Amino acid sequence: MARFGVLSLAVLLGLQAAAMLVSCFDPSPLQDFCVAVDEPKSAVFVNGKFCKDPKLVKAEDFLFQGLNIPGSTNNRQNSNVTLVNVDRIPGLNTLGISLARIDYAPYGLNPPHTHPRGTEILVVVEGSLLVGFVTSNPDNKLFTKVLYKGDVFVFPIGLIHFQFNVGHGPALAFAGLSSQNPGTITIANAVFGSKPPISLDVLTKAFQVDEKVIEALQMQFKA
């Protein structure tokens, strides 16, 4: 019995060790850099991009210019996000970070959205913003705060969040994200503007409203 107990314990510890190995990952790049290229003749595929031959890498591969220029807020949401990710700076490939400039006209909104691959940290440079995020089911708890110049707020990875300019003038914020390509899912666009459209039966049951309400919302998001 003692021998069986020891054997069982060894098996259990072995399974736990295997589980730990399966869930582990290397959070750091295994080379100095991996500058992304689109159509290489001979390269290594890393993190969704091909690596440029290190001998051909230049300083411009790590540079983006123009983040000082305000984005146009002449749209329905009266906001603009200028994202600087791996597609804008090829040298970001494998480095796990990106950056965004967000411009808001008075009462401009960066609508509820998620970043499936990145946590966001936002700093207000000008103006005042009402920001918030909602936790996952079943609590769906809202954490919200009004931010002013110099304030910093964090949106955890994958959670729905938003920013709304509550001031009378323009607002400006910069955001860092913990992914070279964090992705963005704007909730309203995804639900009511999918291609092809999500079934009316699904949406009317999900939102507990009449079909005409859903059809009106879908019309707002048609290209």
Side-chain angles (χ1 to χ4, degrees), residues 117-220:
R117 294 182 293 276
T119 292
E120 176 180 344
I121 183 167
L122 179 135
V123 56
V124 178
V125 177
E126 294 291 344
S128 53
L129 297 173
L130 171 66
V131 306
F133 67 86
V134 181
T135 64
S136 54
N137 297 347
D139 293 338
N140 301 127
K141 183 176 180 180
L142 172 65
F143 289 88
T144 185
K145 194 75 176 176
V146 176
L147 306 183
Y148 300 95
K149 184 176 180 178
D151 289 347
V152 178
F153 199 83
V154 173
F155 305 105
I157 183 171
L159 297 186
I160 295 173
H161 59 282
F162 61 87
Q163 304 107 36
F164 180 59
N165 182 2
V166 292
H168 298 291
L172 171 64
F174 286 90
L177 298 116
S178 62
S179 170
Q180 67 182 44
N181 187 20
T184 301
I185 302 172
T186 304
I187 307 305
N189 296 59
V191 173
F192 300 111
S194 67
K195 301 177 182 62
I198 297 174
S199 165
L200 284 177
D201 291 335
V202 172
L203 295 182
T204 53
K205 193 169 186 64
F207 290 94
Q208 296 295 293
V209 295
D210 187 83
E211 283 189 4
K212 291 182 179 179
V213 175
I214 299 298
E215 289 173 339
L217 288 168
Q218 288 180 327
M219 287 295 295
Q220 296 297 315

Side-chain angles (χ1 to χ4, degrees), residues 86-121:
V86 67
D87 294 324
R88 295 289 188 92
I89 302 182
L92 281 179
N93 193 38
T94 75
L95 299 186
I97 57 171
S98 55
L99 178 70
R101 172 188 174 125
I102 313 170
D103 292 280
Y104 314 81
Y107 306 108
L109 172 70
N110 189 10
H113 62 281
T114 73
H115 302 296
R117 294 182 293 276
T119 292
E120 176 180 344
I121 183 167

